[in-house]
Amino acid sequence: MSKAMTEPTSELLYLDDLHIGRRFTSGTHALDERQIVAFAREFDPQPFHTNREAAKGTIFRGLAASGWHTAAITMRLQVDGGLPIAGGLIGLGGEVAWPTATRPNDVLHVESEVVEVVPSRSGRERGAVTMRSETRNQRGEVVQRTTVKLLVPRRSKLG
Amino acid sequence: MSKAMTEPTSELLYLDDLHIGRRFTSGTHALDERQIVAFAREFDPQPFHTNREAAKGTIFRGLAASGWHTAAITMRLQVDGGLPIAGGLIGLGGEVAWPTATRPNDVLHVESEVVEVVPSRSGRERGAVTMRSETRNQRGEVVQRTTVKLLVPRRSKLG
């Protein structure tokens, strides 16, 4: 658990609770070379992700995590309280960019902000919320920026 | 080249070789429940990705792969010859959507097409190529659609 900059993570949020500008901060994940290489061997076996020595001669000038590894770690940080949405984090898609390489020994966290709330038109059960998230390393550099549309349920009117 | 659905994968391609409309088809990857659950336990531990029984009561109505797992498998299929770019597949970012859930026992492949070629302005060494890719299951359903900008080197003028 990090020093929560903005929101407690124990309460699960519904569509009704979200408004533009609401912000969330995740805990942290410490990355190391072993994790980078293990992910890359399975999903992105390119020398700049799998081999420290070979990586030096590439455009990355050293080992870097696969962008999809950064995306997967970001998801884990959001599932683990970084984005406490009722019903879970169900993404329909969005945009992703990797402005800075993720490196061994980076400590990552995710900051997210609601940028759009669209109530469902066809039914009352759920709507779509667009979140903009930045994954940052321990120096505050943005290693991933995403804008993702999530399905979010309305709070039940029971009781 | 217009009708060529597929490309040989032995030859590595440079910026000079790529033009709008050039298409590529990857090999296949057979997914199973074990893979889906293993990825989700590490990166996206939500019931609809980790537990077959619990998943039945969710919006997915059964076990589904994390979208980031589908993205990672897509990357692997492209690294393994599905997108034979010289210097490797170095993505700057782009868009991703998951129109259909990826399920246990899906057999995935990726079809990619060049949609934009932008020579580098600052130097002559590399440019950017935008690829649109569709990851399809064995029924031809699109489980992931991406538009990603890649860094691609020019062919060296040596010799």
Side-chain angles (χ1 to χ4, degrees):
Chain A
M1 282 300 177
S2 68
K3 35 207 163 175
M5 275 181 57
T6 40
E7 298 279 339
T9 58
S10 52
E11 179 204 4
L12 289 179
L13 301 174
Y14 291 83
L15 194 66
D16 319 65
D17 305 315
L18 297 170
H19 56 82
I20 292 173
R22 188 156 183 175
R23 293 176 62 85
F24 306 90
T25 301
S26 77
T28 59
H29 179 86
L31 198 60
D32 60 25
E33 179 170 331
R34 187 193 56 76
Q35 295 169 50
I36 289 175
V37 170
F39 184 97
R41 279 189 182 149
E42 185 168 2
F43 295 114
D44 194 350
Q46 304 193 84
F48 34 76
H49 300 321
T50 59
N51 186 307
R52 190 200 313 176
E53 288 307 313
K56 291 178 182 170
T58 70
I59 191 172
F60 288 100
R61 304 199 178 287
L63 199 69
S66 169
W68 303 108
H69 190 190
T70 303
I73 291 168
T74 298
M75 187 70 198
R76 178 64 190 253
L77 287 168
Q78 293 186 314
V79 169
D80 283 354
L83 209 48
I85 306 291
L89 298 178
I90 301 172
L92 299 170
E95 294 171 26
V96 58
W98 299 290
T100 306
T102 302
R103 302 290 186 177
N105 306 315
D106 273 3
V107 178
L108 305 181
H109 76 280
V110 189
E111 300 177 12
S112 302
E113 181 175 354
V114 177
V115 294
E116 191 177 18
V117 180
V118 182
S120 169
R121 291 179 192 180
S122 51
R124 292 181 194 173
E125 285 188 5
R126 48 177 57 84
V129 172
T130 303
M131 303 289 312
R132 187 177 296 148
S133 299
E134 289 183 339
T135 307
R136 294 176 179 266
N137 63 24
Q138 67 282 11
R139 289 179 300 278
E141 296 163 340
V142 177
V143 295
Q144 180 177 285
R145 187 175 287 122
T146 58
T147 306
V148 173
K149 188 176 283 192
L150 300 173
L151 272 184
V152 180
R154 281 186 188 283
R155 190 180 293 278
S156 163
K157 303 289 186 187
L158 296 177
Chain B
M1 277 298 174
S2 57
K3 286 186 181 174
M5 280 282 294
T6 55
E7 297 279 340
T9 57
S10 52
E11 179 204 5
L12 289 178
L13 301 174
Y14 291 83
L15 193 67
D16 320 66
D17 304 314
L18 297 170
H19 56 81
I20 292 172
R22 188 156 184 175
R23 293 176 62 85
F24 305 90
T25 300
S26 76
T28 60
H29 179 84
L31 199 59
D32 59 26
E33 181 170 330
R34 186 192 56 75
Q35 294 169 54
I36 288 174
V37 171
F39 184 96
R41 279 190 182 148
E42 186 168 0
F43 295 113
D44 193 351
Q46 304 193 85
F48 34 76
H49 299 321
T50 58
N51 185 308
R52 192 199 313 175
E53 289 306 313
K56 289 178 183 171
T58 70
I59 191 172
F60 287 102
R61 304 200 178 287
L63 198 71
S66 169
W68 302 108
H69 191 189
T70 302
I73 292 168
T74 297
M75 188 68 197
R76 178 63 190 254
L77 286 168
Q78 293 187 314
V79 169
D80 283 354
L83 210 47
I85 306 291
L89 297 178
I90 301 171
L92 299 171
E95 295 170 26
V96 59
W98 300 289
T100 307
T102 302
R103 303 289 187 177
N105 306 316
D106 273 3
V107 179
L108 305 180
H109 76 280
V110 189
E111 299 177 12
S112 303
E113 181 174 353
V114 177
V115 294
E116 192 178 17
V117 179
V118 181
S120 169
R121 290 180 195 181
S122 51
R124 293 183 194 171
E125 283 189 6
R126 47 178 57 86
V129 172
T130 303
M131 302 289 314
R132 187 177 296 148
S133 298
E134 290 183 339
T135 307
R136 293 175 179 266
N137 64 22
Q138 67 281 10
R139 290 179 298 280
E141 296 162 341
V142 177
V143 295
Q144 180 177 285
R145 186 175 288 122
T146 59
T147 306
V148 174
K149 189 175 283 192
L150 299 173
L151 272 184
V152 180
R154 283 189 186 280
R155 190 180 292 278
S156 162
K157 304 289 187 188
L158 296 177

